[in-house]
Amino acid sequence: MATKTNFELSEEVMIKHPKKYKVYLLNDDYTSMDFVVDILISIFHKSYEEAETIMLEIHKKDRGLCGVYSYEIAETKVMQVTRKAKDSGFPLKATMEEE
Ligand code: TYC
C-alpha cells in the first residue's frame, strides 16, 4: 500500500476527530433565574432539574457549561440565546470555546 502523504493523514484526522465547542452561559445581575432555566430547557434540551442545577452554578461561579457541539451547532445555540434574551429584554450572554 502506498504511503499516505501528510495532507492525507491530516484530512483523515479532521474527518475522524472534528473539533468540538463548549457553549457556556454567563452570569449577570438582571436576567431572571426562571428565564435562564427556560433557555436551558428549550435551547439546550435539559430536564427541569438539570436546568436548575446549571443555572445555580452560573449564578454562583459566573459561568456554566451548557453543552458541547460541532462549530455550526454551537454557533446556532449562541445566536438563539442572544435572540431570545434580546426579545425578552434580558442581557443574558452565551459564549463558545474550542474544547
Ligand atoms: N444572577 C441572576 C439573578 O440573580 C440569575 C442568572 C443566572 C443570570 C444565570 C444569568 O446565566 C445566568 N437574577
Side-chain angles (χ1 to χ4, degrees):
M1 195 180 77
T3 313
K4 283 181 182 160
T5 64
N6 282 342
F7 179 74
E8 282 167 334
L9 285 170
S10 92
E11 259 195 327
E12 213 169 274
V13 168
M14 287 193 290
I15 291 163
K16 285 185 188 155
H17 306 282
K19 284 180 186 170
K20 291 283 193 182
Y21 294 81
K22 294 179 183 166
V23 176
Y24 292 94
L25 281 182
L26 307 182
N27 191 28
D28 67 72
D29 292 338
Y30 304 103
T31 304
S32 76
M33 291 182 168
D34 282 351
F35 183 78
V36 177
V37 169
D38 177 68
I39 288 280
L40 285 161
I41 293 170
S42 61
I43 297 177
F44 297 97
H45 309 297
K46 304 298 181 189
S47 68
Y48 182 82
E49 289 73 20
E50 282 176 307
E52 224 180 12
T53 304
I54 297 170
M55 181 279 292
L56 286 172
E57 187 191 319
I58 304 163
H59 180 67
K60 287 180 200 146
K61 299 189 187 155
D62 269 3
R63 74 172 191 175
L65 181 63
C66 304
V68 181
Y69 308 96
S70 68
Y71 186 87
E72 285 77 11
I73 303 287
E75 201 181 33
T76 304
K77 301 276 179 201
V78 171
M79 277 165 30
Q80 286 171 332
V81 170
T82 310
R83 159 57 59 92
K84 215 168 166 181
K86 198 162 170 248
D87 288 352
S88 307
F90 288 125
L92 179 65
K93 287 270 176 287
T95 60
M96 59 190 271
E97 66 180 49
E98 198 183 312
E99 200 181 39

